[in-house]
Amino acid sequence: MFLSQDVDLRMHSKAKATIRDVAAHAGVSRAAVSKVLRRAPGVSAEMHRRVTAAISELQYRPQVAARSLRGRSQTLGVLSPQEAGPLATSIITSFARALDATPYDFLVRPVPDTADHQLEAAWSLVDHGMEGLVLADISLTEDQLESLARRVPVVLVGRASRSDLLDSFSVDDVAAARLQLDHLVALGHTRIAWLSPAVSGDRHPAALLERVCAGSAVFAHPAGLGDDGGYRAACELLAQPQPPTAIVTCTDVMALGVLRAARDVGVDVPGQLSVVGAGDSSIAAHPLIALSSVSAHDASNADDVLGALLDRVAGRTTAIHVQWRPRMVARRSSAPPLSR
């Protein structure tokens, strides 16, 4: 019996096992195998175990071309900026790990940080048959997002949405800003510059400042995105007669630009200037950088995003909108200001 089963497994492997083979090996129907592959509801733990074991033993691989002819590519798209932040990077890593247990593949499309390029890339993914999209740190308008969501399931990451047509996972910006500023105020800083790109609505620096720290000695200073944006803004601030004793940024990459500017103009960090970033990237945690940063991501965040997208693909239509609570991670780049 064991010999015949081994021979049977080898024959299946050489002949490219089919869904019928998987069903027979697991002792279930083809419909049951299909439900497991689609992560459909109503699958018992025992059925899932038997089917996944059969898939592994028979080395079953769904035929992508055949699925496409039936209108199912079983491919998910991830759209993120070319300089992906830690959250987008975490999602991509999670997809690579978690999708091994499903029939789905995924395609990552890095795009420039401009709305026109992002919209074109998103529709290109739709036109290439993606069954769902994760849009991470993308700056499309609500109308553009809903147009996409009418065609395929969409999960927006890094920005809040109130749309009933898509899911969103975002950071509580007010809580994050309050953590950054409270950390610096507790250290004794009274001249704090907040670098942020010009954005609209409640995320505009002035709006956040009003909600977080009205009356305190914090001021917004315009800055471009990325390392260069942080560098130029910091050079301007540090050239002032009364420069700030601390600078807060909305990304860790901008904070790296601030650190570079401080080095170039001979300002000691953290002795003369404290710097706090956002995102808690791997670079921020590097011992040679040791950047204080506010974090809102952990291993479960990316799993939540993937689960939401697969649920959408499986037919869920009720929208979910989640705000992640951030936490402050203090490192060497922030300290009490020198007495003046």
Side-chain angles (χ1 to χ4, degrees):
M1 177 176 178
F2 289 109
L3 178 61
S4 63
Q5 187 179 47
D6 290 342
V7 172
D8 185 48
L9 290 178
R10 288 195 298 270
M11 289 174 62
H12 281 313
S13 179
K14 291 179 180 179
K16 293 185 179 179
T18 66
I19 193 170
R20 186 192 300 272
D21 299 324
V22 173
H25 190 71
V28 300
S29 66
R30 281 181 291 174
V33 175
S34 178
K35 288 181 69 174
V36 172
L37 291 173
R38 290 184 290 109
R39 293 172 62 101
V43 176
S44 68
E46 175 61 17
M47 181 186 294
H48 186 273
R49 184 194 65 77
R50 287 162 60 185
V51 171
T52 53
I55 288 172
S56 176
E57 291 169 9
L58 299 179
Q59 300 178 22
Y60 171 66
R61 297 286 298 171
Q63 295 184 6
V64 175
R67 291 197 308 260
S68 297
L69 289 174
R70 295 193 299 269
R72 296 292 304 278
S73 69
Q74 290 192 319
T75 305
L76 307 175
V78 180
L79 195 67
S80 69
Q82 288 173 337
E83 294 185 1
L87 184 56
T89 301
S90 174
I91 289 168
I92 292 168
T93 303
S94 174
F95 270 43
R97 170 178 49 79
L99 288 179
D100 282 344
T102 79
Y104 288 96
D105 292 319
F106 75 106
L107 177 66
V108 179
R109 176 75 182 270
V111 289
D113 192 31
T114 62
D116 288 344
H117 283 102
Q118 292 175 0
L119 184 61
E120 181 181 353
W123 279 111
S124 177
L125 289 173
V126 173
D127 292 341
H128 280 81
M130 300 298 104
E131 289 197 39
L133 296 180
V134 170
L135 308 179
D137 297 329
I138 295 301
S139 55
L140 301 182
T141 67
E142 196 82 346
D143 287 343
Q144 291 169 336
L145 292 169
E146 289 189 337
S147 293
L148 290 165
R150 291 186 180 96
R151 286 284 301 276
V152 296
V154 169
V155 176
L156 181 65
V157 178
R159 205 179 93 207
S161 172
R162 298 183 180 90
S163 174
D164 293 331
L165 302 180
L166 54 96
D167 298 340
S168 68
F169 293 82
S170 62
V171 179
D172 186 334
D173 289 323
V174 172
R178 183 173 287 115
L179 284 173
Q180 290 173 305
L181 298 176
D182 284 351
H183 169 67
L184 291 169
V185 170
L187 289 173
H189 291 275
T190 56
R191 293 195 306 280
I192 303 170
W194 189 349
L195 303 190
S196 183
V199 291
S200 61
D202 291 342
R203 299 183 74 193
H204 191 278
L208 282 172
L209 283 173
E210 183 178 348
R211 297 164 69 186
V212 172
C213 54
S216 65
V218 183
F219 61 94
H221 188 84
L225 287 169
D227 177 275
D228 286 342
Y231 180 86
R232 293 192 185 97
C235 286
E236 295 169 1
L237 287 165
L238 296 175
Q240 293 179 354
Q242 287 290 317
T245 61
I247 295 178
V248 173
T249 69
C250 64
T251 70
D252 286 343
V253 175
M254 289 177 69
L256 293 179
V258 174
L259 294 175
R260 183 161 60 92
R263 180 202 61 192
D264 287 354
V265 301
V267 171
D268 178 65
V269 176
Q272 295 171 284
L273 178 71
S274 286
V275 181
V276 176
D280 194 29
S281 61
S282 58
I283 294 177
H286 193 285
L288 295 180
I289 305 295
L291 174 67
S292 296
S293 185
V294 66
S295 173
H297 66 88
D298 58 37
S300 65
N301 292 157
D303 292 337
D304 291 343
V305 171
L306 175 57
L309 183 61
L310 291 176
D311 286 347
R312 277 276 185 182
V313 171
R316 175 173 56 81
T317 57
T318 303
I320 59 172
H321 300 295
V322 176
Q323 272 200 328
W324 291 315
R325 296 291 299 177
R327 65 185 185 281
M328 184 67 212
V329 182
R331 297 191 179 95
R332 195 173 59 244
S333 71
S334 57
L338 294 176
S339 300
R340 294 187 184 276

